[in-house]
DNA sequence: GTTCTAGAAC
DNA sequence: GTTCTAGAAC
């Protein structure tokens, strides 16, 4: 099975047939799976389910969905946002259970996805993971660089001027891919980091500090 | 996505 | 000399 099409396969599958190591939960319209290469302590993908005969819209990517019927696109993305919110609550529960405190979660799309079938990233903001290895991995989740598109921001596009919606929906690969090569900057403190090992040590330190403060606050309450 | 590796950076 | 990046091959 090509990794490029694996999400589409899941979207078409009977959830009962998806391995439990892959599937976290399923709802009538979406599936939540564990990201196979998690870039944070918690990292999930939420994908819209699809019937085999479904030709209502092209669910290949955010771009193809936005290019289709606008009302349908909004409905699809809003549904994902709702399911991601529920997932976020579940993640927070796990954070408290496993680590004794909770920290923030990001929910959004990659402007240029690496796999087919629309998928929403839901990940904790630590970015501490052995799978976080390359500059492009990091920059693709940096919340301020523009490659990672927060879902609430995407939803505001629907209420903007139609010309703005058209422009921003183009999601031109060339422009966005350049972002992945930008300098490594800590998303939290804006410090520029020399290289990936330095950045990773910095992120780990930031999270350790947050954990210490969080646990203390939790104990005190 | 991963592995391999040349050459740049340190 | 060692560490790190980035492009090619898979």
């Amino acid at each position: 099975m090509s990794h490029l099409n694996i999400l589409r396969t899941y979207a078409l599958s009977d959830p009962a047939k998806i391995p439990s190591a892959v599937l976290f939960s399923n709802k009538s319209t979406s599936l939540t799976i564990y990201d196979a290469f998690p870039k944070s302590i918690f990292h999930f993908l939420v994908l819209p389910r699809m019937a085999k005969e479904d030709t209502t819209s092209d669910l290949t990517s955010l771009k193809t969905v936005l290019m289709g019927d606008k009302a349908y696109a909004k409905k699809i993305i809003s549904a994902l946002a709702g399911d991601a919110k529920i997932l976020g609550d579940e993640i927070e529960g796990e954070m408290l259970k496993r680590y004794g405190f909770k920290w923030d979660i990001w929910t959004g799309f990659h402007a240029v996805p690496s796999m087919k079938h629309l998928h929403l990233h839901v990940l904790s903001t630590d970015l501490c993971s052995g799978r976080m290895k390359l500059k492009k991995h990091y920059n693709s989740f940096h919340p301020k660089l523009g490659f990672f598109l927060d879902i609430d921001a995407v939803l505001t596009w629907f209420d903007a001027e139609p010309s703005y919606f058209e422009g921003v929906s183009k999601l031109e690969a060339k422009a966005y891919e350049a972002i992945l090569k930008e300098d490594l900057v800590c998303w939290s403190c804006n410090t520029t980091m020399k290289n990936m090992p330095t950045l990773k040590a910095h992120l780990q330190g930031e999270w350790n500090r947050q954990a210490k403060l969080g646990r203390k606050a939790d104990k005190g309450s």
Side-chain angles (χ1 to χ4, degrees), chain A residues 135 195-197:
Chain A
K135 177 187 263 187
N195 51 41
M196 282 301 288

mmCIF file of all heavy atoms in Angstrom, chain A residues 135 195-197, chain C residues 4-7:
data_model
loop_
_atom_site.group_PDB
_atom_site.id
_atom_site.type_symbol
_atom_site.label_atom_id
_atom_site.label_comp_id
_atom_site.label_asym_id
_atom_site.label_seq_id
_atom_site.Cartn_x
_atom_site.Cartn_y
_atom_site.Cartn_z
ATOM 1 N N LYS A 135 14.136 20.217 9.092
ATOM 2 C CA LYS A 135 13.644 21.597 9.081
ATOM 3 C C LYS A 135 12.221 21.671 8.527
ATOM 4 O O LYS A 135 11.361 22.361 9.065
ATOM 5 C CB LYS A 135 14.588 22.445 8.217
ATOM 6 C CG LYS A 135 14.173 23.874 8.057
ATOM 7 C CD LYS A 135 15.069 24.587 7.062
ATOM 8 C CE LYS A 135 16.156 25.350 7.808
ATOM 9 N NZ LYS A 135 16.947 26.204 6.897
ATOM 10 N N ASN A 195 20.412 25.071 14.267
ATOM 11 C CA ASN A 195 20.146 23.812 13.549
ATOM 12 C C ASN A 195 19.103 22.998 14.301
ATOM 13 O O ASN A 195 18.636 23.395 15.370
ATOM 14 C CB ASN A 195 21.442 23.013 13.356
ATOM 15 C CG ASN A 195 22.197 22.838 14.650
ATOM 16 O OD1 ASN A 195 21.605 22.592 15.687
ATOM 17 N ND2 ASN A 195 23.525 22.979 14.596
ATOM 18 N N MET A 196 18.739 21.866 13.743
ATOM 19 C CA MET A 196 17.669 21.053 14.332
ATOM 20 C C MET A 196 18.008 20.518 15.729
ATOM 21 O O MET A 196 17.170 20.602 16.627
ATOM 22 C CB MET A 196 17.286 19.903 13.382
ATOM 23 C CG MET A 196 16.398 20.334 12.228
ATOM 24 S SD MET A 196 14.831 21.078 12.760
ATOM 25 C CE MET A 196 13.959 19.647 13.384
ATOM 26 N N PRO A 197 19.197 19.954 15.949
ATOM 27 C CA PRO A 197 19.498 19.483 17.312
ATOM 28 C C PRO A 197 19.370 20.588 18.353
ATOM 29 O O PRO A 197 18.852 20.361 19.451
ATOM 30 C CB PRO A 197 20.940 18.972 17.187
ATOM 31 C CG PRO A 197 21.065 18.563 15.751
ATOM 32 C CD PRO A 197 20.253 19.562 14.978
ATOM 33 P P DC C 4 24.998 18.009 15.734
ATOM 34 O OP1 DC C 4 24.573 19.047 16.692
ATOM 35 O OP2 DC C 4 24.630 16.593 15.931
ATOM 36 O "O5'" DC C 4 24.528 18.422 14.276
ATOM 37 C "C5'" DC C 4 24.815 19.740 13.802
ATOM 38 C "C4'" DC C 4 24.478 19.827 12.332
ATOM 39 O "O4'" DC C 4 25.419 19.038 11.580
ATOM 40 C "C3'" DC C 4 23.094 19.304 11.961
ATOM 41 O "O3'" DC C 4 22.279 20.418 11.640
ATOM 42 C "C2'" DC C 4 23.332 18.363 10.775
ATOM 43 C "C1'" DC C 4 24.780 18.648 10.383
ATOM 44 N N1 DC C 4 25.546 17.484 9.857
ATOM 45 C C2 DC C 4 26.123 17.578 8.593
ATOM 46 O O2 DC C 4 25.972 18.613 7.929
ATOM 47 N N3 DC C 4 26.844 16.527 8.125
ATOM 48 C C4 DC C 4 26.995 15.433 8.872
ATOM 49 N N4 DC C 4 27.724 14.435 8.372
ATOM 50 C C5 DC C 4 26.407 15.311 10.168
ATOM 51 C C6 DC C 4 25.692 16.355 10.610
ATOM 52 P P DT C 5 20.823 20.263 11.046
ATOM 53 O OP1 DT C 5 20.058 21.444 11.455
ATOM 54 O OP2 DT C 5 20.327 18.895 11.298
ATOM 55 O "O5'" DT C 5 21.115 20.398 9.485
ATOM 56 C "C5'" DT C 5 21.880 21.510 9.024
ATOM 57 C "C4'" DT C 5 21.999 21.430 7.511
ATOM 58 O "O4'" DT C 5 22.825 20.308 7.137
ATOM 59 C "C3'" DT C 5 20.665 21.246 6.783
ATOM 60 O "O3'" DT C 5 20.682 22.163 5.705
ATOM 61 C "C2'" DT C 5 20.687 19.794 6.321
ATOM 62 C "C1'" DT C 5 22.174 19.532 6.149
ATOM 63 N N1 DT C 5 22.669 18.156 6.360
ATOM 64 C C2 DT C 5 23.535 17.612 5.433
ATOM 65 O O2 DT C 5 23.873 18.207 4.429
ATOM 66 N N3 DT C 5 23.993 16.351 5.736
ATOM 67 C C4 DT C 5 23.675 15.594 6.853
ATOM 68 O O4 DT C 5 24.160 14.491 7.004
ATOM 69 C C5 DT C 5 22.762 16.204 7.781
ATOM 70 C C7 DT C 5 22.347 15.467 9.004
ATOM 71 C C6 DT C 5 22.302 17.448 7.505
ATOM 72 P P DA C 6 19.367 22.521 4.921
ATOM 73 O OP1 DA C 6 19.466 23.948 4.573
ATOM 74 O OP2 DA C 6 18.207 21.980 5.657
ATOM 75 O "O5'" DA C 6 19.531 21.678 3.580
ATOM 76 C "C5'" DA C 6 20.672 21.905 2.746
ATOM 77 C "C4'" DA C 6 20.671 20.864 1.661
ATOM 78 O "O4'" DA C 6 21.095 19.584 2.196
ATOM 79 C "C3'" DA C 6 19.290 20.612 1.049
ATOM 80 O "O3'" DA C 6 19.482 20.344 -0.323
ATOM 81 C "C2'" DA C 6 18.815 19.352 1.761
ATOM 82 C "C1'" DA C 6 20.128 18.602 1.879
ATOM 83 N N9 DA C 6 20.162 17.595 2.926
ATOM 84 C C8 DA C 6 19.414 17.521 4.078
ATOM 85 N N7 DA C 6 19.693 16.485 4.831
ATOM 86 C C5 DA C 6 20.699 15.833 4.129
ATOM 87 C C6 DA C 6 21.431 14.665 4.392
ATOM 88 N N6 DA C 6 21.266 13.918 5.477
ATOM 89 N N1 DA C 6 22.354 14.289 3.479
ATOM 90 C C2 DA C 6 22.537 15.043 2.394
ATOM 91 N N3 DA C 6 21.908 16.162 2.034
ATOM 92 C C4 DA C 6 20.996 16.505 2.963
ATOM 93 P P DG C 7 18.365 20.754 -1.385
ATOM 94 O OP1 DG C 7 18.652 22.125 -1.823
ATOM 95 O OP2 DG C 7 17.033 20.363 -0.875
ATOM 96 O "O5'" DG C 7 18.750 19.777 -2.589
ATOM 97 C "C5'" DG C 7 20.114 19.595 -2.964
ATOM 98 C "C4'" DG C 7 20.299 18.173 -3.424
ATOM 99 O "O4'" DG C 7 20.435 17.302 -2.276
ATOM 100 C "C3'" DG C 7 19.126 17.635 -4.243
ATOM 101 O "O3'" DG C 7 19.640 16.959 -5.379
ATOM 102 C "C2'" DG C 7 18.417 16.689 -3.288
ATOM 103 C "C1'" DG C 7 19.576 16.187 -2.434
ATOM 104 N N9 DG C 7 19.194 15.716 -1.111
ATOM 105 C C8 DG C 7 18.278 16.269 -0.238
ATOM 106 N N7 DG C 7 18.172 15.611 0.889
ATOM 107 C C5 DG C 7 19.063 14.552 0.751
ATOM 108 C C6 DG C 7 19.387 13.496 1.643
ATOM 109 O O6 DG C 7 18.932 13.283 2.777
ATOM 110 N N1 DG C 7 20.346 12.636 1.112
ATOM 111 C C2 DG C 7 20.922 12.790 -0.127
ATOM 112 N N2 DG C 7 21.825 11.873 -0.471
ATOM 113 N N3 DG C 7 20.636 13.773 -0.974
ATOM 114 C C4 DG C 7 19.699 14.614 -0.479
#
